[in-house]
């Protein structure tokens, strides 16, 4: 699952056909200006180049947070890891900036774009890769060791197809603090959904590296010992920015929290996943997602039942 060398990427079907022909047409057809479409295209190529330069075992862990959200992504014939890779390279690009908060790109536009990207990206990922300097997707295992250890254990558990729950060793590392004031943003268009009870965040854009008021409030509750469980429809609700996502997850694990998503459980020392098929997360109705206990291991099911009693 690694990919093309930096110098050859412009000669690939992914860049030549998808990025330079298909993607701009889909973007401008949805209402983006030529300039905005170009900025998205450049970012997608940049992200694909970074993704394809990663070692295979690192790649597997990096895409794991997004596997549960691609349960219904087209084409269904593509393996889940590939559809999750499309999320990392394409969906989590500047595409998000033009979809968030009522932007011109609608859900149907995103679906058409990610579907069209899948086979070209699959071809790109078959090529031998080389390391890339200034790769912002690299080094996350060193920066956020707790988060990486939990996701690595989750990735291994999902690959086994036998067990649903697995213990792992939590690495020792300094306990992170809250983001600084210079990293914060007040999202004016708040959703009105509580940051803990509904498992949502107030965001300007899912790829924005800054921290909105709801996410900060949730982190502070965990730090102060006022919340031991963080319910989310999917890990992408923390962020679509992989660096920020793992930073928040590392913070939560460092402060002893258990993170529950529609299909995953991650806490210090244990991970769990629903047996396949996974349940499609519902970003608008977390309680609906959490009603489904099918395929959960005993510890995982116990956490979900306890959470539902609090609602």
């Amino acid at each position: 699952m690694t990919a093309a060398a930096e110098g050859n990427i412009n000669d690939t079907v992914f860049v030549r056909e998808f990025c330079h022909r298909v993607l701009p047409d889909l973007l401008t057809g949805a209402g983006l200006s030529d300039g905005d479409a170009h900025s998205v295209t450049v970012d997608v190529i940049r992200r694909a180049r970074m993704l394809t330069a990663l070692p295979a075992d690192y790649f597997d862990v990096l895409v794991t947070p997004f596997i549960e959200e691609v349960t219904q992504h087209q084409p269904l014939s593509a393996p889940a890891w590939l559809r999750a890779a499309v999320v990392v390279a394409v969906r989590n690009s500047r595409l998000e900036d033009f979809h968030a908060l009522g932007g011109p790109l609608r859900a149907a536009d995103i679906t058409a774009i990610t579907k069209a990207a899948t086979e070209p990206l699959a071809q790109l990922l078959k090529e031998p890769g080389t390391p890339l300097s200034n790769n912002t997707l690299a080094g996350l295992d060193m920066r956020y060791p707790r988060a990486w250890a939990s996701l690595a254990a989750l990735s291994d558990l999902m690959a086994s197809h036998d067990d649903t729950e697995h213990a792992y060793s939590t690495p020792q590392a300094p306990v992170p603090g809250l983001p600084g004031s210079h990293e914060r943003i007040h999202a004016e268009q708040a959703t009105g959904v509580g940051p803990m009870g509904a498992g949502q965040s107030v965001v300007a854009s899912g790829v924005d590296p800054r921290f909105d008021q709801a996410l900060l409030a949730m982190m502070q509750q965990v730090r102060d010992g006022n919340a031991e469980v963080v319910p989310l429809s999917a890990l992408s609700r923390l962020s679509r920015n992989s660096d920020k996502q793992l930073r928040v997850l590392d913070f939560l694990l460092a402060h002893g929290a258990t993170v529950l998503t529609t299909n995953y459980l991650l806490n210090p020392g244990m991970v769990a996943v629903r047996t396949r098929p996974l349940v499609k997360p519902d970003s608008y109705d977390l309680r609906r997602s959490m009603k489904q206990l099918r395929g959960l291991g005993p510890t995982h099911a116990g956490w979900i039942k306890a959470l539902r009693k609090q609602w």
Side-chain angles (χ1 to χ4, degrees):
M1 300 179 196
T2 57
E6 180 180 3
N8 297 330
I9 193 170
N10 290 326
D11 297 326
T12 62
V13 171
F14 181 80
V15 172
R16 187 178 63 251
E17 298 295 329
F18 173 71
C19 292
H20 287 164
R21 294 179 58 184
V22 176
L23 181 57
D25 285 348
L26 289 172
L27 293 171
T28 55
L32 267 67
S33 67
D34 289 340
D36 287 339
H38 178 71
S39 71
V40 172
T41 298
V42 169
D43 193 41
V44 168
I45 295 172
R46 178 184 68 90
R47 293 183 63 81
R49 180 177 283 126
M50 292 191 300
L51 181 64
T52 57
L54 300 172
D57 55 349
Y58 186 103
F59 174 106
D60 291 343
V61 177
L62 184 71
V63 303
T64 292
F66 303 101
I67 288 178
E68 70 174 330
E69 79 171 57
V70 302
T71 55
Q72 299 300 316
H73 281 205
Q74 297 290 334
L76 292 177
S77 58
W81 69 260
L82 174 57
R83 286 177 281 152
V86 172
V87 171
V88 175
V90 182
R91 175 66 181 87
N92 296 352
S93 70
R94 285 211 65 209
L95 199 70
E96 165 68 8
D97 291 335
F98 297 98
H99 174 64
L101 300 177
L105 292 180
R106 300 181 180 274
D109 301 316
I110 300 293
T111 297
I113 290 168
T114 55
K115 181 179 180 180
T118 304
E119 179 54 31
L121 186 63
Q123 294 186 41
L124 185 67
L125 293 171
K126 292 177 182 178
E127 301 296 327
T130 57
L132 179 68
S133 61
N134 195 28
N135 189 341
T136 60
L137 294 178
L140 301 180
D141 53 341
M142 301 299 293
R143 288 198 292 277
Y144 311 115
R146 296 180 186 85
W148 195 265
S150 69
L151 292 174
L154 183 62
S155 178
D156 290 343
L157 181 62
M158 295 178 72
S160 73
H161 294 285
D162 294 325
D163 300 322
T164 58
E165 301 180 351
H166 180 66
Y168 72 99
S169 298
T170 305
Q172 296 296 314
V175 176
L178 290 169
S181 57
H182 64 288
E183 300 177 280
R184 304 181 183 189
I185 179 178
H186 182 81
E188 296 294 336
Q189 299 187 30
T191 63
V193 179
M196 292 299 296
Q200 304 291 339
S201 293
V202 181
V203 294
S205 165
V207 297
D208 196 314
R210 297 170 297 179
F211 291 76
D212 62 68
Q213 62 267 33
L215 184 56
L216 283 165
M218 178 268 284
M219 294 172 71
Q220 188 160 4
Q221 287 182 52
V222 170
R223 183 201 63 179
D224 294 344
N226 297 322
E228 66 172 351
V229 59
V230 176
L232 306 161
S233 58
L235 288 173
S236 58
R237 301 306 296 178
L238 294 177
S239 180
R240 289 190 172 279
N241 179 315
S242 290
D243 186 285
K244 178 180 174 183
Q245 180 190 83
L246 267 71
R247 178 180 175 183
V248 176
L249 180 58
D250 199 80
F251 177 96
L252 298 177
L253 295 174
H255 289 87
T258 293
V259 178
L260 289 172
T261 73
T262 305
N263 299 282
Y264 300 160
L265 176 152
L266 302 98
N267 68 22
M270 178 183 174
V271 294
V273 63
R274 188 188 305 273
T275 57
R276 265 62 77 203
L278 300 180
V279 172
K280 180 183 178 181
D282 189 335
S283 297
Y284 301 99
D285 190 350
L286 179 61
R287 290 175 175 83
R288 183 169 175 266
S289 292
M290 293 294 184
K291 286 181 181 179
Q292 179 60 266
L293 297 178
R294 172 191 53 78
L296 301 184
T299 305
H300 195 173
W303 275 99
I304 295 293
K305 290 176 182 178
L307 172 67
R308 285 162 49 178
K309 287 181 180 178
Q310 298 174 19
W311 284 346

